[in-house]
Amino acid sequence: MLAAMPVPPTSPADRDETCRTGATVRDRGDACPGALRLHAADDGGLARIRVPAGLLTARQAEALALAAQELGDGRLDITSRGNVQLRGLAQGAGGELGGRLRGAGLLPSDLHDRVRNVVASPLCGLDGRSPGDARADVQAWARALDALLCTGGGAEDTDTSSDLSALSGRFLFGLDDGRGDIVALAPDVTLIAEGARTALLCFATDGPGLRVAADDAPRAAVLAAREFLAALRESGHRAWRVRDLAPELRPRPEGLARRLTAAGIDCVLVPRVVLPPGAPTAPGAVHGPGGRWALSVAAPLGRMSAGQWRLVARTADRDGDGELRVTPWRGIVVPGLSARAAAAAAAALADAGLITSADSPWHGAGACAGRPGCAKSLADVRADATAALTGARPGGAGTLPVYWSGCERRCGHPADGRWVDVLATADGYRVTVRDGERDGTTRAAAAEELAEAVATARTTGTTRTTRTP
C-alpha cells in the first residue's frame, strides 16, 4: 500500500501544458496530483480523485461529500477531465482519505491511481438518438479500460518492458460515442464508436487510425498506450502526452497495428480519421429512450458545496437509477428520471444554486483557484468572477465561454475553440477573446467595469482596446 505523498507546491492545480507545433521539452517529472500524491496548495492539501468516464454510484458520491466535509474545506471541485478535487486537506489527512476511497471502491489500485484518466461521452445512451444511429456503450468501454489500467494491461499483453504506471498523470484516454464531444478535448488515445460493432482508434484526434471490433476497443486502447511508451523509449525523450513529442517521434498507427495483431486483435488501417468536434453537454433536461429523462446540472465555476453535491447524489438515488456521470464540462448528469422527477429535481437544484439552464450567465464560466488557495495568483478571481456574473444578462446560444485566471499559467483554461480570457495582472484585469491559443483584441478593465467588459466579449466576440486604468 502506498502512502500519501506531497506534490511540490510548484505543480499546477488543473492544467496540461501543451505544444501545438514541434515538441515540448519536459525537464522534470510529472507532478500532477492524485488521491495519494497530494498537492501542497496555500489553502492546504489538494487531492485529485480520478473518476474514469465520470461514473459514480450515489453511495460513492455520498462518500466524497463526507470526505470533503470531514477532511477538507467542505467543497468539491470538478475538473476539466471530469475528475473530483478536494481542497483544504490537513497535513497527514492523506492516509485517512486513501482508506475512505478504497472502502468506497474509488481507489482500486494505488500504483495506477494517476493514470486512470478516461473521459467518455456523458450522454451516451441517454438522449434518444435514433435507433438507426445505435452506438457502442462507451461507458462499458470505460469500465473495461479502467480495469485493464489497474491490472497492468491484460494477460495477452506481452510487453512488460514498462508498466502502465509509467504513463504521465496527464495522459488522457478519450471514448467518443460518435457525437464529437470527447474528440474536442484532444485526448492522447481516442476511441470513436462507428456504430454498435466497430470503433476507430487513433493517437490524438487526427491523422491515420485503425478500425477495430467494438469488443476489442478497451484492450486496443491499452496497447496504444504501450506503443506511446515504446516511442518514448526509442526517442530517448521525456514526454507527458503524445503532442509533447515532435511529429516524427510520435507513435505511428503502423507500429500499433503490429502490436494489435500480435495480441490477436484484427485491425484495418484508415488513412484519415475525420470527426468534427461536437458540443459539450449543456445543463438542462434530456429526453431519452423509454420515456426516461436525464438531468444535466453544472457547478458554478466548477465548484459545489458538500450540501449541493449531496443533493445531486440523493436525487440520483431516490429518483434515478442510482448513478451519476460527472462531465468534463464541470457538471453532473443524473440519468433514469421520470419527466415529473426531472422537472422537480431541476427546480430544487436551481434553488440550491446549481446551473440547470444553458441561458444562465454562469453556464460556460470557469475560474482557477485564485487567492487565497494559490500563491501565484494575483487576485481572488473567484470572488471577482462571482461579482461579474451575479445579475449578468442571460447567456444562451452564441455566448462564448469565459475563464478567469489569476496568473499567466491559466490553470484549467479551455483548450480549443473561441473563449473569453479574463487574466489578472498587476494593473487589473485584461479581457481577451481567444481562438485556441491565439490572442485576439485585448481590453484592460478596472474592477468597476469588468462585468460589462466580460458580458460584451461573450456576446459579441470582440473587445474594445483601452489603456490600462
Side-chain angles (χ1 to χ4, degrees), residues 283 298 329 355 358 360-366 399-404 414 419 458:
W329 304 283
I355 305 165
S360 168
W362 294 84
H363 174 50
T399 303
L400 295 180
V402 58
Y403 197 82
W404 272 264
W419 57 286
R458 295 188 76 186

Side-chain angles (χ1 to χ4, degrees), residues 9-402:
T10 54
S11 68
D14 187 21
R15 181 185 179 188
D16 287 337
E17 297 180 39
T18 62
C19 179
R20 299 192 179 278
T21 59
T24 298
V25 177
R26 301 297 185 190
D27 57 2
R28 61 180 174 86
D30 167 36
C32 189
L36 298 172
R37 185 179 180 181
L38 307 186
H39 168 64
D42 261 24
D43 58 348
L46 180 152
R48 183 173 299 163
I49 301 157
R50 266 61 177 186
V51 186
L55 296 172
L56 284 173
T57 65
R59 182 183 68 85
Q60 289 174 325
E62 290 269 12
L64 289 176
L66 189 62
Q69 279 187 313
E70 295 183 349
L71 303 178
D73 63 5
R75 297 176 295 186
L76 303 95
D77 290 347
I78 301 176
T79 76
S80 58
R81 293 178 165 196
N83 294 318
V84 178
Q85 287 184 170
L86 304 185
R87 302 187 66 99
L89 297 167
Q91 188 173 4
E96 171 69 15
L97 176 62
R100 292 185 182 212
L101 295 177
R102 292 184 195 96
L106 291 168
L107 188 55
S109 171
D110 288 10
L111 181 62
H112 299 93
D113 167 39
R114 297 190 315 126
V115 305
R116 301 170 63 228
N117 296 303
V118 183
V119 290
S121 300
L123 292 182
C124 179
L126 300 181
D127 59 351
R129 299 176 79 179
S130 65
D133 195 29
R135 301 282 172 169
D137 184 352
V138 296
Q139 272 72 35
W141 284 356
R143 291 186 175 94
L145 174 56
D146 186 34
L148 289 170
L149 291 174
C150 290
T151 56
E156 61 282 296
D157 187 355
T158 58
D159 181 0
T160 58
S161 56
S162 61
D163 187 84
L164 291 172
S165 63
L167 290 170
S168 157
R170 305 169 189 274
F171 191 90
L172 182 63
F173 295 90
L175 315 181
D176 196 304
D177 72 351
R179 71 185 70 223
D181 56 347
I182 299 303
V183 165
L185 302 178
D188 296 285
V189 171
T190 309
L191 282 170
I192 304 168
E194 288 191 301
R197 296 185 178 181
T198 62
L200 289 175
L201 170 67
C202 60
F203 293 107
T205 54
D206 54 13
L210 299 171
R211 180 174 287 114
V212 299
D215 290 344
D216 291 327
R219 289 192 302 138
V222 169
L223 291 168
R226 292 279 197 195
E227 188 69 12
F228 168 72
L229 292 174
L232 291 187
R233 292 195 302 272
E234 184 176 340
S235 70
H237 285 65
R238 173 179 285 173
W240 298 343
R241 308 195 63 189
V242 169
R243 63 191 180 204
D244 288 348
L245 291 170
E248 66 273 15
L249 299 179
R250 293 172 186 171
R252 303 294 302 165
E254 295 82 4
L256 177 56
R258 291 190 291 270
R259 187 179 290 266
L260 294 179
T261 300
I265 297 176
D266 293 331
C267 60
V268 176
L269 182 67
V270 179
R272 189 179 179 206
V273 174
V274 179
L275 182 63
T281 300
V286 179
H287 190 211
R292 307 304 289 175
W293 290 74
L295 180 63
S296 173
V297 299
L301 302 181
R303 178 170 289 174
M304 291 187 186
S305 68
Q308 290 172 322
W309 181 276
R310 186 173 282 115
L311 183 59
V312 177
R314 292 179 178 176
T315 298
D317 190 40
R318 181 187 64 245
D319 301 320
D321 57 13
E323 179 183 272
L324 299 86
R325 299 182 183 182
V326 184
T327 79
W329 304 283
R330 296 182 167 91
I332 300 177
V333 174
V334 180
L337 303 169
S338 67
R340 177 176 296 179
L349 294 173
D351 287 344
L354 298 179
I355 305 165
T356 60
S357 169
D359 291 334
S360 168
W362 294 84
H363 174 50
C368 70
R371 290 179 182 171
C374 178
K376 292 184 180 293
S377 180
L378 299 175
D380 185 346
V381 293
R382 287 183 169 268
D384 292 338
T386 297
L389 292 168
T390 300
R393 54 179 177 261
T399 303
L400 295 180
V402 58

